[in-house]
């Protein structure tokens, strides 16, 4: 049996509230499937599964708040399902399909009959198909027997909760911020989450900071030429070049693509680049762009097209919030010229880009005006030293001189 | 399409991209990127929506200039005239 636990979606997360199950007992889940919606300070997160199997039982009820690490559901692995039942294994074909009774799993071993709730066979079948907990219903039939109608009512009630969910969300913001949530201020929870993560970063991480001016003339020229031939919908923004160059430089300087865990550096084999997205109402979200080093510029652009609106709607996935291996923040074309950022723990590096502006640039004894960006690096001095950071920034600057190869 | 109609349509497009933007108060010559804190990503979405709505692709070299309702409307009307002289 595989435990599916409340994931940690960031260094600052202690618990989460299970808002909705997206699966029911008996469902087959694939790796990457979305299993549940969990509410955290960062909004409602779609939690993905990292195993394959069949949902055996859901252990936590909707709207329960539980600490990180709590087992939320049990999954049967493929092998467990197909094998003939051993003494302690769940039977391959249980006489009583697993289900929910008052939020607890039914005993599945030996296929013993579960505590019977008085219900019509039709109601029972419908409840099973729809994942409705019969024990939670009151019967309207003779002697309180649960009928098909009762189950249908429960299904309808489950499917129409948007208004209720909105109210709960409001209550949640009040709970975590310790103050009444102002109407129209959905980002208060995000503010608190940013506050907790950044306070921890500033308290625990000895940062060192480096910066490097980078000549973006080749990039801007290449972009103008590329975009001229494309319809607006397929045009690229400078930020995708910055993302790709950062991801490739991280691959070349792997000590910065890592976590600092239990007093040691844990290099990450993949580059999942956290990308800072500012919310209009204040606060930031930092979803990871998975395998940013392997995506083409077009793929990165399309990815941002989906990611940014989702982040602003506070609808991200658990893997996007939990798996960042380093972070990039770009202030954009109207931003200040340089950013001195704070690392998002347990990562060890934050790469920052100020706005791209025209500046005097000296080269080969002459000065001319070029589009220039100042890249900065904030890195954890427990993990690396200035020489490493310097190598990273120089590598990135070099990559940005050849945009056609990114 | 008359000038006020184009401007109304543009206000709706901006509101679609930045739902919290109160485009009703936006002056025709105001830089809407500054007014509503619209980044380059959202500006490109606005350009894409304008291209789709009015049937002319906004050329790349014009995009940096088209940051007010007036300039956008002028460009759209000129582009329409060019297509059906």
């Amino acid at each position: 049996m595989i435990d599916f636990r409340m994931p940690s979606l960031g260094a600052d997360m202690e618990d989460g509230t299970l808002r909705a199950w997206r699966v029911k007992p008996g469902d087959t889940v694939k790796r990457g499937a979305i299993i549940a919606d969990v509410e955290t300070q960062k909004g409602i997160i779609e939690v993905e599964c990292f195993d394959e199997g069949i949902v055996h039982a859901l252990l936590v009820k909707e709207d329960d708040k539980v600490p990180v690490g709590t087992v939320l559901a049990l999954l049967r692995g493929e092998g467990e399902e197909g094998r003939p039942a051993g003494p302690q294994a769940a039977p391959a074909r249980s006489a009583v399909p697993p289900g929910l009774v008052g939020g607890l799993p039914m005993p599945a071993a030996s296929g013993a009959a579960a505590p019977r709730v008085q219900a019509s066979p039709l109601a029972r079948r419908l409840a099973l198909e729809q994942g409705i907990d019969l024990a939670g219903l009151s019967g309207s039939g003779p002697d309180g027997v649960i009928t098909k109608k009762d189950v249908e009512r429960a299904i309808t009630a489950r499917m129409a909760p948007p208004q209720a969910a909105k109210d709960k969300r409001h209550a949640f913001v009040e709970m975590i911020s310790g103050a009444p949530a102002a109407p129209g201020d959905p980002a208060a929870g995000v503010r608190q989450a940013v506050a907790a993560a950044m306070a921890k970063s500033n308290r625990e991480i000895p940062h060192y900071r480096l910066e490097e001016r980078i000549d973006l003339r080749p990039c801007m020229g290449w972009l103008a030429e590329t975009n001229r031939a494309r319809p607006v919908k397929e045009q690229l923004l400078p930020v995708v070049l910055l993302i790709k160059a950062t991801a490739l430089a991280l691959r070349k300087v792997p000590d910065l693509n890592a976590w600092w865990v239990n007093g040691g550096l844990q290099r990450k084999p993949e580059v999942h680049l956290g990308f800072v997205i500012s919310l209009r109402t204040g606060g930031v979200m930092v979803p990871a762009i998975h395998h940013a080093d392997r995506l083409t510029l077009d793929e990165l652009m399309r990815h941002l097209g989906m990611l940014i609106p989702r982040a602003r709607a506070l609808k991200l996935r658990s893997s996007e919030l939990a798996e960042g291996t380093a972070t990039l923040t770009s202030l954009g074309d109207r931003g200040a010229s340089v950013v001195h950022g704070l690392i998002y723990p347990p990562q060890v590096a934050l790469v920052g880009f100020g706005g791209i502006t025209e500046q005097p640039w000296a080269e080969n004894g002459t000065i001319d005006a070029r589009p220039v960006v100042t890249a900065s690096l904030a890195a954890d001095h427990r993990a690396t030293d200035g020489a490493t950071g310097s190598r990273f920034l120089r590598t990135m600057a070099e990559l940005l001189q050849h945009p056609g190869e990114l | 399409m008359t000038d006020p109609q184009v401007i109304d349509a543009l206000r709706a497009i901006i509101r679609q991209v930045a739902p919290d933007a109160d485009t009703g108060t936006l002056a025709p010559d105001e830089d809407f990127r500054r007014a509503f804190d619209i980044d380059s990503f959202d500006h490109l979405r606005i350009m894409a929506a304008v291209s789709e709505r009015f049937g002319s692709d906004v050329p790349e070299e014009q995009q940096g200039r088209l940051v007010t309702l007036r300039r956008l409307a002028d460009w759209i009307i000129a582009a329409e005239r060019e297509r059906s002289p």
Side-chain angles (χ1 to χ4, degrees):
Chain A
M1 208 65 76
I2 303 158
D3 291 343
F4 176 71
R5 294 171 186 274
M6 174 64 79
S8 169
L9 307 172
D12 47 314
M13 176 170 162
E14 290 174 358
D15 42 44
T17 305
L18 193 124
R19 282 299 181 216
W21 282 111
R22 299 278 198 95
V23 294
K24 57 186 187 301
D27 283 0
T28 301
V29 289
K30 289 244 180 318
R31 215 181 130 79
I34 292 161
I35 285 206
D37 292 338
V38 167
E39 185 150 2
T40 72
Q41 287 173 317
K42 291 167 187 160
I44 295 179
I45 309 301
E46 296 178 327
V47 178
E48 298 148 281
C49 180
F50 294 98
D51 295 292
E52 306 220 329
I54 291 164
V55 179
H56 182 70
L58 308 178
L59 306 186
V60 170
K61 288 200 298 284
E62 293 187 349
D63 298 333
D64 275 1
K65 184 178 175 180
V66 297
V68 167
T70 305
V71 179
L72 300 176
L74 296 174
L75 306 181
R76 274 199 313 264
E78 293 292 342
E80 289 176 75
E81 205 257 344
R83 224 187 307 128
Q88 77 282 10
R93 283 188 182 276
S94 167
V96 180
L100 264 181
V101 177
L104 291 170
M106 286 209 261
S110 80
R116 294 290 283 185
V117 178
Q118 291 295 313
S120 75
L122 201 56
R124 203 171 281 283
R125 204 182 67 208
L126 187 63
L128 185 68
E129 282 168 7
Q130 296 289 329
I132 295 282
D133 174 12
L134 285 176
L137 304 184
S138 53
S140 63
D143 297 329
V145 168
I146 296 167
T147 66
K148 178 168 162 262
K149 263 213 174 74
D150 298 325
V151 177
E152 282 169 350
R153 247 198 305 278
I155 294 167
T156 317
R158 187 182 58 183
M159 280 161 54
Q163 190 52 45
K166 214 167 135 196
D167 293 344
K168 276 179 202 154
R169 185 185 169 79
H170 221 74
F172 175 76
V173 166
E174 291 181 352
M175 183 185 73
I176 53 136
S177 60
D185 185 15
V190 176
R191 186 74 262 154
Q192 290 301 313
V194 172
M198 292 300 100
K200 180 183 166 71
S201 172
N202 200 42
R203 196 169 55 236
E204 295 178 4
I205 302 178
H207 289 70
Y208 68 88
R209 293 188 170 87
L210 306 172
E211 62 183 67
E212 171 84 354
R213 283 171 81 231
I214 300 176
D215 173 13
L216 286 188
R217 193 162 66 177
C219 281
M220 300 311 276
W222 181 87
L223 268 179
E225 199 168 314
T226 305
N227 284 340
R228 200 167 299 135
R230 295 175 171 216
V232 182
K233 274 193 155 167
E234 291 169 24
Q235 287 176 5
L236 301 173
L237 288 169
V239 71
V240 296
L241 295 170
L242 303 180
I243 291 172
K244 188 69 187 283
T246 302
L248 290 174
L250 283 168
R251 203 161 71 187
K252 292 189 175 175
V253 187
D255 280 356
L256 294 177
N257 189 59
W259 285 3
W260 183 259
V261 184
N262 297 327
L265 185 71
Q266 205 178 79
R267 282 187 184 186
K268 297 289 175 183
E270 315 283 358
V271 179
H272 300 320
L273 188 61
F275 182 72
V276 178
I277 296 169
S278 65
L279 309 179
R280 273 179 238 288
T281 40
V284 292
M285 299 291 271
V286 192
I289 300 171
H290 290 102
H291 305 293
D293 56 329
R294 288 198 246 143
L295 297 180
T296 64
L297 297 174
D298 287 308
E299 286 168 339
L300 280 169
M301 192 67 202
R302 275 196 296 276
H303 190 75
L304 286 186
M306 293 180 292
L307 193 61
I308 294 175
R310 271 204 294 121
R312 291 198 166 137
L314 303 184
K315 266 213 149 281
L316 291 169
R317 305 209 171 120
S318 53
S319 60
E320 289 169 336
L321 286 176
E323 293 176 353
T325 57
T327 296
L328 184 157
T329 183
S330 169
L331 298 183
D333 53 354
R334 293 182 312 108
S337 58
V338 59
V339 52
H340 299 288
L342 285 167
I343 296 164
Y344 186 63
Q347 297 168 15
V348 298
L350 174 109
V351 181
F353 291 96
I356 300 167
T357 53
E358 194 165 65
Q359 291 176 29
W361 185 272
E363 202 173 276
N364 301 327
T366 58
I367 294 179
D368 57 2
R370 300 186 183 183
V372 171
V373 73
T374 301
S376 65
L377 171 76
D380 188 334
H381 218 327
R382 296 171 301 184
T384 64
D385 309 300
T388 308
S390 210
R391 196 167 67 221
F392 169 80
L393 284 177
R394 285 297 171 91
T395 302
M396 192 168 66
E398 181 55 33
L399 287 163
L400 286 167
Q401 302 315 303
H402 310 284
E405 295 165 23
L406 287 174
Chain B
M1 220 175 192
T2 66
D3 197 58
Q5 281 173 322
V6 172
I7 286 193
D8 276 351
L10 289 173
R11 286 187 205 274
I13 285 172
I14 295 171
R15 213 161 34 235
Q16 222 168 21
V17 171
D20 44 352
D22 181 8
T23 54
T25 61
L26 182 70
D29 293 312
E30 211 175 338
D31 181 337
F32 54 77
R33 290 194 305 177
R34 198 168 307 153
F36 303 127
D37 210 12
I38 285 170
D39 58 21
S40 51
F41 176 80
D42 281 346
H43 186 243
L44 190 61
R45 283 172 72 199
I46 291 172
M47 293 298 122
V50 166
S51 302
E52 194 165 335
R53 172 77 176 72
F54 297 99
S56 305
D57 231 44
V58 185
E60 201 263 342
E61 60 271 18
Q62 292 282 334
Q63 290 172 14
R65 207 180 59 81
L66 300 179
V67 295
T68 71
L69 293 174
R70 163 84 47 225
R71 286 184 194 170
L72 262 175
D74 287 350
W75 179 83
I76 289 163
I77 288 167
E80 280 188 347
R81 212 168 286 144
E82 216 167 282
R83 270 181 308 165
S84 51

